[in-house]
Amino acid sequence: MSSSSCHKAYITTPIYYVNDIAHIGHAYTTIIADTLARYSRMSGLDTFFLTGTDEHGQKIEESAKARGKTSQEYADEISATFKNLWDDFGISYDKFIRTTDADHMKGVQKAFSVMYENGDIYKDVYKGHYCISCEAFFPESQLVDGEFCPECGKPTTIVEEESYFFKLSAYEDKLLAWYNDNPNCILPKSKRNEVIRFVEGGLDDLSITRTSFDWGVKLPAELNDPKHVMYVWLDALMNYVTALGYGTDEANMDFWPARVHLIGKDILRFHAIYWPAFLMSLGLEMPKHIAAHGWWTRDGEKMSKSKGNVVNPKEVADAYGLDNFRYFMLREVPFGGDGDFSQKALIDRINSDLGNDLGNLLNRLIGMSGKYFEGKVDSANTAKYYQAELDEVAASLEKLEPLLFDMQIHRYLEELWRPLSVANRAIDRYQPWTLMKEGREEEAMALNGLIAAILAKVAVMLYPVMPEICPKIAAALRFTIDNNSWNRLIKEQKLLETFTIEKIPPLFPRVEELLLEQAEPADTKAVKTEEKKKKEPKDEGIALIGIDQFFQTSLKIGTVVSAEEVPKSKKLLLLQVDIGEDEPRQVVAGIKEWYSAEDMLGTQVCVVANLKPAKLMGLKSEGMLLAAKDENGLCMIRPEKPKTPGTPIS
């Protein structure tokens, strides 16, 4: 690390792909990064926190076209939803980068030129299996069942086109040496072992440009090859240095290398193999840590739009409180493991950890101080009577910072809760009411000082996780959370000056019931369905269902607003169907033998609207049309009279 970066901290999230709005996984990554950035600033480090959006690639181009928008319009719209959410959440980023920013694109072109001049880029023809969803090529040996993407499980398509390649194979030994020399470069360490095994299996050179679409960063002008755009991962990964001015003004390059790149485990390979190799080619230092977290489920089930169980982070934060949501996310699951979101678990954390342990301790201090000392708190004699408790608290506090930057954040919070246990136990053990009855007022006041000091120290170290609540605790204790209080209370282990406590309302009102509508868990549905089967009459010819099961299917009237043939398919038409939503649904229908694209355009159809999306010949289908077929052929099921798109069928 350069001397100029020793007192700096550069924290990054991945840049989020603008193919959909932000979900709980995005919020989780961003909240962790915000916590690290807030702690870094509080501890006196000059900190730069980066987040943003990834906006190029074939998937964006196709999504925009399907919605009748330009790629830029679509990217602007989705990128704004991320920025607005992070602003609503008070995320303390220093820069929100977009890969459509002019400075970013200049920096990417500069990097391409440097790698090309270094002999690490060459032109050839690529033929391979390409996953549009992951924007990645995969060798056949990595495919599932010879066809499906090993990352997302979706079908790949065989692509053959001219491409520029990066000599990734030339960096195998250098990468392995980096992993070996830096045991904490990838966290958790199990992920590092996974990456090492992959690299030891051999690396192929990496295709880094495409010619089959246009929405991307063009090659440097001096190469005079305008039909190529850069492969999205080269473009995207470079954001970490272009945000600091690489290739333009270099204004903040002294923040490099990153202290922590936070990512989801699904993009580990790109960050732990491609990115370090690019940096080596560019002659830039390696990041200190690449930290990969797990995925989130809901009530034990994978989240999906079709199940209606996707967790909207804004709705949860609005219902339960943003800081409560932040605490739950970071405390509930070990970093790197998969987490499960349930309202019951969130309520348990609010009522138990936050309400009983933290909030109630502050209430006890306010009550004791008011009853015995007219609100005054003095810790002058605290060490005289309670040094053992102070030592126990100090031992826990010393463990915290290493746990935070080793990405053991759940353990950080576990350890931070030990001082609260010390405080609550001290009240029960020493009984201030008894001390006062016995005339031992000095000991009782010293106990007050102990409780106040513990609350203050916990508030300082909890602040990065709960930046709205902890300043309220500090205000009640008459101090401000900043670098000075961190130095004084944490590093120097000092106590609070004498003060008069401020009475404040309870910070964590008890939650007695679920505050959000909840998707019914699958196992509950299965039990209820089984019970219904036992009660319902049986028919030998057909399986009977109840009316509630029928209404689990969402049938709607739709109007076909666009229709075209699917190239190389004898059966498929590609339709855009208006079913009363903000954008038309894309439906791939196997009706070409009976209906032409012209036949379908402008007509109305009946759509199964809550089917899980599927891929047909690489095209996403977001519904199914109702039709009837017999020996005389197939005909569409249509409304007798025109109906408003989106009208339910019941």
Side-chain angles (χ1 to χ4, degrees):
M1 180 182 289
S2 62
S3 58
S4 64
S5 63
C6 287
H7 300 291
K8 294 179 181 289
Y10 183 30
I11 313 292
T12 73
T13 72
I15 48 173
Y16 302 115
Y17 204 40
V18 295
N19 62 323
D20 207 348
I21 61 172
H23 55 64
I24 192 172
H26 300 125
Y28 180 56
T29 321
T30 307
I31 288 167
I32 294 172
D34 186 60
T35 297
L36 298 178
R38 287 178 183 275
Y39 184 87
S40 297
R41 294 188 195 102
M42 183 176 71
S43 64
L45 295 177
D46 189 7
T47 301
F48 196 99
F49 171 19
L50 176 70
T51 190
T53 45
D54 180 7
E55 303 175 20
H56 288 133
Q58 186 174 1
K59 191 161 44 171
I60 304 305
E61 189 174 76
E62 291 179 356
S63 295
K65 184 178 178 182
R67 290 163 174 78
K69 298 180 180 181
T70 67
S71 298
Q72 187 67 58
E73 287 171 341
Y74 179 66
D76 288 347
E77 180 182 308
I78 304 298
S79 178
T81 68
F82 280 90
K83 189 173 188 298
N84 292 340
L85 180 61
W86 304 152
D87 290 343
D88 285 344
F89 275 17
I91 300 299
S92 62
Y93 60 82
D94 294 284
K95 183 177 178 67
F96 186 98
I97 192 170
R98 301 179 57 188
T99 55
T100 50
D101 291 342
D103 284 354
H104 168 75
M105 293 193 284
K106 287 178 186 174
V108 174
Q109 290 171 331
K110 166 72 173 177
F112 194 99
S113 294
V114 171
M115 291 191 283
Y116 186 83
E117 289 164 8
N118 287 346
D120 280 335
I121 291 177
Y122 62 93
K123 187 156 94 171
D124 204 338
V125 175
Y126 190 88
K127 181 176 181 180
H129 295 267
Y130 184 71
C131 175
I132 292 177
S133 181
C134 294
E135 300 278 5
F137 286 99
F138 295 94
E140 191 166 355
S141 61
Q142 291 180 27
L143 299 181
V144 177
D145 296 333
E147 176 187 2
F148 299 100
C149 174
E151 297 290 345
C152 69
K154 296 176 182 177
T156 59
T157 53
I158 294 179
V159 172
E160 182 172 1
E161 60 182 305
E162 182 182 89
S163 178
Y164 284 82
F165 289 79
F166 175 77
K167 291 182 180 177
L168 187 63
S169 59
Y171 286 89
E172 281 182 27
D173 292 342
K174 291 179 181 178
L175 287 168
L176 290 171
W178 179 56
Y179 306 142
N180 184 64
D181 294 342
N182 299 274
N184 293 319
C185 62
I186 300 169
L187 297 171
K189 291 182 180 179
S190 60
K191 296 297 182 188
R192 171 176 163 270
N193 297 334
E194 182 183 307
V195 170
I196 289 173
R197 287 194 299 271
F198 185 88
V199 175
E200 286 176 341
L203 295 175
D204 296 322
D205 288 350
L206 183 67
S207 170
I208 55 170
T209 68
R210 301 291 307 280
T211 60
S212 56
F213 62 91
D214 195 52
W215 183 239
V217 180
K218 297 289 187 181
L219 300 196
E222 62 267 21
L223 289 178
N224 193 29
D225 211 345
K227 66 178 179 293
H228 285 265
V229 294
M230 289 187 214
Y231 167 64
V232 71
W233 278 105
L234 174 61
D235 169 14
L237 289 165
M238 286 303 301
N239 92 91
Y240 300 126
V241 291
T242 63
L244 302 177
Y246 179 84
T248 51
D249 61 12
E250 307 279 320
N252 289 306
M253 281 301 290
D254 55 347
F255 278 98
W256 188 258
R259 183 167 188 177
V260 181
H261 285 318
L262 273 161
I263 60 170
K265 66 181 182 181
D266 54 322
I267 53 175
L268 175 62
R269 188 177 302 168
F270 305 104
H271 283 78
I273 300 175
Y274 300 173
W275 179 227
F278 293 158
L279 290 170
M280 290 173 184
S281 179
L282 294 171
L284 295 175
E285 291 182 73
M286 297 294 102
K288 297 305 168 188
H289 303 293
I290 299 167
H293 66 72
W295 292 327
W296 282 83
T297 56
R298 182 171 188 174
D299 299 312
E301 284 194 311
K302 186 177 180 180
M303 287 183 237
S304 72
K305 289 181 181 178
S306 60
K307 289 180 181 177
N309 69 343
V310 174
V311 177
N312 182 320
K314 181 73 163 60
E315 289 178 358
V316 178
D318 287 347
Y320 289 97
L322 175 58
D323 272 20
N324 296 343
F325 177 56
R326 286 173 64 114
Y327 174 81
F328 168 80
M329 295 285 284
L330 302 191
R331 176 64 182 82
E332 186 70 8
V333 59
F335 184 89
D338 292 341
D340 185 62
F341 176 86
S342 78
Q343 291 190 75
K344 182 180 182 302
L346 173 55
I347 291 169
D348 286 346
R349 290 289 181 195
I350 294 171
N351 291 342
S352 179
D353 298 13
L354 298 176
N356 294 347
D357 297 341
L358 176 58
N360 189 50
L361 183 62
L362 179 60
N363 295 339
R364 294 177 87 177
L365 177 64
I366 291 171
M368 292 187 306
S369 302
K371 184 174 182 179
Y372 303 130
F373 304 109
E374 298 181 337
K376 183 180 177 182
V377 179
D378 185 346
S379 58
N381 293 303
T382 294
K384 175 180 174 181
Y385 294 102
Y386 304 109
Q387 188 61 50
E389 284 78 12
L390 290 173
D391 290 344
E392 192 175 348
V393 168
S396 285
L397 295 176
E398 286 175 4
K399 297 176 184 177
L400 293 179
E401 186 173 308
L403 289 172
L404 189 64
F405 284 98
D406 281 346
M407 304 311 297
Q408 297 186 58
I409 303 173
H410 71 295
R411 284 191 54 207
Y412 175 95
L413 290 169
E414 277 180 17
E415 196 64 44
L416 183 54
W417 246 242
R418 295 187 193 280
L420 297 178
S421 297
V422 171
N424 280 306
R425 191 170 66 239
I427 295 173
D428 296 338
R429 178 180 177 184
Y430 299 112
Q431 299 183 344
W433 50 91
T434 300
L435 295 175
M436 292 301 292
K437 281 181 184 177
E438 295 175 353
R440 298 155 67 186
E441 291 188 8
E442 185 176 277
E443 288 181 53
M445 177 58 88
L447 180 61
N448 251 16
L450 173 69
I451 305 309
I454 290 174
L455 276 166
K457 293 170 189 288
V458 168
V460 169
M461 297 303 280
L462 185 59
Y463 163 77
V465 176
M466 303 184 73
E468 291 183 358
I469 294 288
C470 290
K472 294 179 181 178
I473 298 173
L477 303 177
R478 305 293 186 176
F479 80 99
T480 302
I481 298 175
D482 54 21
N483 177 243
N484 287 333
S485 57
W486 179 83
N487 274 316
R488 188 164 49 86
L489 295 169
I490 307 302
K491 301 307 286 184
E492 298 170 13
Q493 298 184 18
K494 292 183 178 177
L495 307 182
L496 292 173
E497 302 291 336
T498 302
F499 68 96
T500 300
I501 199 164
E502 180 184 349
K503 292 183 179 180
I504 62 173
L507 294 174
F508 306 103
R510 189 167 183 82
V511 182
E512 300 290 355
E513 60 184 13
L514 303 185
L515 302 181
L516 292 172
E517 288 187 21
Q518 190 167 20
E520 193 172 29
D523 55 350
T524 304
K525 290 179 184 176
V527 169
K528 290 182 178 179
T529 302
E530 197 59 37
E531 289 173 352
K532 290 187 184 89
K533 284 181 181 178
K534 292 176 182 177
K535 295 176 182 177
E536 290 167 358
K538 293 185 178 179
D539 185 296
E540 293 298 321
I542 190 169
L544 300 179
I545 64 170
I547 191 70
D548 56 336
Q549 289 172 275
F550 172 78
F551 281 120
Q552 288 177 15
T553 304
S554 174
L555 304 175
K556 294 185 178 182
I557 299 298
T559 299
V560 180
V561 296
S562 171
E564 60 186 272
E565 294 184 357
V566 174
K568 300 181 182 178
S569 173
K570 296 179 180 179
K571 297 182 178 180
L572 300 181
L573 293 181
L574 181 64
L575 310 176
Q576 303 294 329
V577 185
D578 178 7
I579 61 169
E581 298 173 337
D582 291 341
E583 304 291 345
R585 289 276 192 100
Q586 178 166 291
V587 178
V588 182
I591 58 174
K592 187 174 167 183
E593 295 176 53
W594 298 278
Y595 294 87
S596 68
E598 292 75 17
D599 292 335
M600 295 301 297
L601 190 61
T603 65
Q604 290 206 307
V605 290
C606 299
V607 182
V608 182
N610 63 338
L611 277 183
K612 182 178 180 180
K615 278 285 188 74
L616 298 170
M617 289 193 69
L619 297 170
K620 185 177 183 181
S621 184
E622 300 171 297
M624 184 175 74
L625 308 186
L626 297 186
K629 183 181 179 184
D630 62 11
E631 64 272 14
N632 297 316
L634 177 144
C635 67
M636 304 304 302
I637 305 298
R638 304 185 189 275
E640 183 179 0
K641 297 177 181 178
K643 291 292 177 185
T644 304
T647 300
I649 300 170
S650 58

